[in-house]
Amino acid sequence: MALSVLVIVGILAGVLFLDLSPAPQKPETSKVQTAQVSSDMSTFRSSYFQFRDSGKWVLKADESSANKYIYYKYKGLNVEHQLIVYVNQVPIPLYLATARVLPVRIVNNDSLDITTVSEPCVSHYVGSELHKIKTVSINQAQMLCDPDTPQYSVVLSQIDGNYQLNMTRTDGSPVKLVITYRDLRLNPGPDTLINIAKNFQAL
């Protein structure tokens, strides 16, 4: 009887010791795993092209057409960014003229190799030259310059070429794209456009 009691007490003491012992430390891999798999990037796709960016872009179907895709990016109820892609169509100067240009190179006929967004094109007007909309070349890329617009507006333009980006779709057919962008925030900048351009692809 005494022996049985001692055995039971010994077992209970062993179990209690195991419960109170500190658990072995797990390696801190959760941060690395999160960094590898987490992404706030989304793909936005049309019949002719796709692009990736963070946040939520909305295609405005009531303002778009078969040859013009108009996207807005919102923060709450406020529009902060606008992206327009013209397909096989060149818009009139009123809609094409911008303050800046993003020179690009077309890679593999369907993607873009980007540079940096230029300073405002008004610097290409000299002396008392009339500030009318005109074609200028910045970093070897032609654009239609609106020298007096207060907006942060940008057109993509091919180096040694212009804003008509001749690309190839996945079925081998040619497509001509004209891409304009506007940052409507109080403190605009190039980051969102750079993100879109480097992830842009003809489909």
Side-chain angles (χ1 to χ4, degrees):
M1 180 71 177
L3 181 61
S4 298
V5 170
L6 286 174
V7 170
I8 292 171
V9 168
I11 292 172
L12 290 174
V15 170
L16 184 61
F17 174 79
L18 288 175
D19 283 345
L20 294 176
S21 297
Q25 293 288 329
K26 293 183 179 179
E28 293 186 8
T29 58
S30 58
K31 289 184 179 178
V32 175
Q33 291 172 348
T34 301
Q36 290 174 344
V37 301
S38 69
S39 173
D40 60 354
M41 298 279 284
S42 299
T43 300
F44 303 93
R45 185 177 289 108
S46 78
S47 300
Y48 294 94
F49 60 86
Q50 68 178 25
F51 63 92
R52 287 173 58 78
D53 186 36
S54 60
K56 182 66 174 177
W57 285 90
V58 177
L59 175 67
K60 294 292 289 184
D62 58 331
E63 298 178 22
S64 302
S65 66
N67 298 103
K68 180 173 68 175
Y69 292 78
I70 301 179
Y71 293 87
Y72 292 113
K73 186 177 180 180
Y74 292 84
K75 184 175 183 180
L77 297 176
N78 298 320
V79 176
E80 291 196 333
H81 308 267
Q82 179 197 64
L83 179 73
I84 304 180
V85 182
Y86 299 88
V87 179
N88 296 324
Q89 180 185 67
V90 178
I92 62 174
L94 176 65
Y95 302 121
L96 178 58
T98 58
R100 303 166 188 261
V101 63
L102 172 58
V104 300
R105 293 181 179 87
I106 297 175
V107 179
N108 297 326
N109 295 316
D110 66 354
S111 303
L112 301 174
D113 178 30
I114 64 171
T115 58
T116 57
V117 175
S118 73
E119 292 300 314
C121 58
V122 66
S123 62
H124 288 256
Y125 291 71
V126 295
S128 59
E129 180 181 358
L130 183 65
H131 279 197
K132 63 180 180 179
I133 292 175
K134 71 172 184 178
T135 298
V136 301
S137 180
I138 301 178
N139 297 328
Q140 299 175 273
Q142 289 186 5
M143 66 173 294
L144 199 59
C145 176
D146 182 352
D148 296 324
T149 177
Q151 287 189 334
Y152 189 97
S153 54
V154 189
V155 65
L156 275 63
S157 182
Q158 187 174 359
I159 295 172
D160 295 325
N162 63 19
Y163 40 79
Q164 299 183 52
L165 305 178
N166 294 303
M167 305 179 81
T168 302
R169 303 183 65 191
T170 51
D171 63 3
S173 62
V175 63
K176 180 185 299 180
L177 302 176
V178 177
I179 304 171
T180 64
Y181 165 83
R182 284 171 172 78
D183 187 334
L184 307 174
R185 297 174 298 173
L186 292 176
N187 297 301
D191 292 349
T192 295
L193 176 60
I194 292 295
N195 211 28
I196 292 169
K198 71 181 182 182
N199 291 290
F200 190 91
Q201 185 174 16
L203 296 178

